[in-house]
Amino acid sequence: MSLPRFDPADYPAQLADKVARFASDFAPLGVSAPEVFASEPLHYRLRAEFRMWHHGDGLVDYAMFAADDPKTPVLLEDFPAAAAPICALMPRLRDALRADDVLRRKIFQVEFLATLSGELMVSLVYHRALDEAWAVAARLLAERLGVQVIGRSRKQKIVLDRDWLLEEFDVDGRRLRYQQIEGSFTQPNGGVNRQMLGWARRQVMGVGGDLLELYCGNGNFTMALAPLFERVLATEVSKSSVRAAHYNLEANGIDNITMVRMSSDEISDAFAGGREYRRMKDVDLANYRFSTLFVDPPRSGLDDATVTLARGFDRILYISCNPVTLRDNVAALADTHDIAAAAVFDQFPYTHHLEAGLLLTRRTAGG
């Protein structure tokens, strides 16, 4: 697979092809025409990372590698997929690295993180230990460029100011705030993410009751969905994501969410009456009136225990980054649930990747 071409003229046809493949794959499960949420054709990525290619006398350039030729660098002058602030920063940062041997020496990779609210972070990754001279040069770089700068090498991370950004945007007239920690997962396409949150809210509007959310991350969906339910029990296994989620609870003034750091198989076991979990000691599952299960799993999808757990819910709201495992999971639930709504979200234009959302509702007797 070659590196993608970012031509807005090609985008509608490419998206149509992906949607057609999705509709064909899910037609046997009852999906006819999913709701389609397109991306901006350019400057849509809030995250981008590049290898730094060394050549000549003090010269470094951004580089990427094609999957069909992983040894030959493709040197980049720009990257039209990246958010406009990243694109504007790229040449300034490259020139600064070229001019400073302390910052340039053995630099291996550069990672950019931007927000819709205008904050920007750069992580510089090295094949050498970072010392005080690097910290002094990096602090000057951060001040000159007006960004947060992080330095990383093997078993080392240097934070000059803070290692997180604060994202802010509106969904359905409500301002949402999210701490995004360097190195943790965040949604790459900010515009499409807002559309995903709006769609998810519409699927459960007026349902009420309590919500169980698995794989909640930093609370991206949690903060948007919580006001629609009486209580939310949200689980996540990543320590940094749980830490960010707790920050986000306070930043958004939400008090009906209980967070527990547990994996999906652990929470499934707890629901099934398995062993006692110390992290669940303050959670009385019998007290909840769960109406809805929300899942946004990794590419591997739901494991068998979580599929079994899902069978017990009248509504399952499923966001997926992998239509293959989504189809497998939904097929496994076909004897108990029907697809009531379907949507696709084009987080990654010009690639084969397509995010999807399904609302599953319990089949009625004789259905």
Side-chain angles (χ1 to χ4, degrees):
M1 177 180 175
S2 299
L3 294 176
R5 289 177 60 251
F6 303 104
D7 186 347
D10 297 336
Y11 178 57
Q14 292 175 347
L15 176 56
D17 286 344
K18 289 198 282 189
V19 173
R21 285 196 300 272
F22 177 89
S24 175
D25 288 343
F26 281 80
L29 296 171
V31 174
S32 54
E35 195 172 355
V36 178
F37 295 89
S39 171
E40 291 294 330
L42 295 176
H43 303 307
Y44 49 85
R45 282 193 63 99
L46 296 175
R47 298 198 319 254
E49 61 181 51
F50 307 97
R51 284 279 300 276
M52 296 306 295
W53 194 256
H54 296 252
H55 57 98
D57 251 347
L59 290 181
V60 288
D61 278 299
Y62 301 108
M64 296 182 73
F65 296 82
D68 54 2
D69 186 10
K71 294 186 178 181
T72 303
V74 178
L75 303 185
L76 303 174
E77 284 296 321
D78 59 12
F79 188 62
I86 295 177
C87 288
L89 180 62
M90 285 176 65
R92 297 177 63 205
L93 176 62
R94 180 201 58 203
D95 292 346
L97 294 175
R98 287 177 173 178
D100 192 320
D101 179 65
V102 173
L103 295 174
R104 183 182 67 251
R105 184 164 58 88
K106 292 192 176 181
I107 190 169
F108 171 72
Q109 184 165 293
V110 171
E111 300 170 2
F112 296 90
L113 177 63
T115 67
L116 295 174
S117 55
E119 295 199 342
L120 193 56
M121 177 183 292
V122 175
S123 298
L124 307 177
V125 186
Y126 291 83
H127 279 327
R128 68 177 176 92
L130 303 179
D131 54 17
E132 183 59 29
W134 179 90
V136 170
R139 193 172 295 280
L140 291 174
L141 177 72
E143 293 173 357
R144 187 161 67 249
L145 299 181
V147 301
Q148 300 292 331
V149 173
I150 303 293
R152 283 197 279 115
S153 64
R154 188 171 182 270
K155 295 183 179 181
Q156 187 180 24
K157 176 179 176 179
I158 295 181
V159 179
L160 302 179
D161 182 11
R162 52 184 165 97
D163 67 345
W164 54 271
L165 302 180
L166 184 62
E167 175 65 288
E168 297 186 59
F169 53 80
D170 291 333
V171 174
D172 293 343
R174 181 164 159 261
R175 193 71 169 172
L176 297 177
R177 296 172 176 84
Y178 297 93
Q179 184 187 66
Q180 298 184 343
I181 299 176
E182 189 265 349
S184 296
F185 175 79
T186 56
Q187 294 289 336
N189 190 319
V192 172
N193 180 51
R194 290 179 64 188
Q195 296 181 82
M196 291 171 63
L197 296 178
W199 180 85
R201 281 175 52 85
R202 289 193 294 277
Q203 307 319 304
V204 295
M205 198 75 69
V207 169
D210 298 330
L211 172 70
L212 173 65
E213 180 183 2
L214 310 183
Y215 320 96
C216 75
N218 72 344
N220 179 55
F221 283 93
T222 324
M223 307 304 152
L225 295 175
L228 302 178
F229 293 91
E230 294 175 21
R231 292 183 297 175
V232 178
L233 177 61
T235 72
E236 168 60 44
V237 71
S238 164
K239 288 183 179 180
S240 61
S241 293
V242 170
R243 187 167 71 249
H246 280 294
Y247 178 98
N248 296 337
L249 291 178
E250 183 173 348
N252 289 282
I254 298 176
D255 60 5
N256 68 333
I257 300 174
T258 297
M259 288 282 309
V260 290
R261 193 173 69 82
M262 295 180 70
S263 65
S264 61
D265 57 336
E266 288 174 330
I267 197 70
S268 298
D269 182 58
F271 266 81
R275 71 178 182 88
E276 291 187 5
Y277 291 87
R278 183 174 56 83
R279 283 165 286 177
M280 291 282 287
K281 63 182 177 65
D282 296 324
V283 177
D284 184 359
L285 289 177
N287 245 358
Y288 281 86
R289 298 187 308 108
F290 289 112
S291 65
T292 306
L293 171 67
F294 177 77
V295 293
D296 181 12
R299 292 189 61 80
S300 56
L302 305 181
D303 56 34
D304 291 342
T306 309
V307 169
T308 299
L309 171 66
R311 290 181 184 277
F313 288 78
D314 288 340
R315 292 173 189 81
I316 306 165
L317 188 56
Y318 194 141
I319 299 291
S320 171
C321 61
N322 185 351
V324 174
T325 54
L326 173 63
R327 186 181 59 211
D328 292 343
N329 288 158
V330 173
L333 292 164
D335 59 334
T336 55
H337 289 76
D338 291 319
I339 297 176
V344 292
F345 310 93
D346 197 19
Q347 286 262 17
F348 300 97
Y350 313 104
T351 74
H352 69 279
H353 295 290
L354 190 65
E355 305 256 332
L358 295 179
L359 174 65
L360 308 178
T361 56
R362 185 177 300 283
R363 298 181 66 177
T364 57

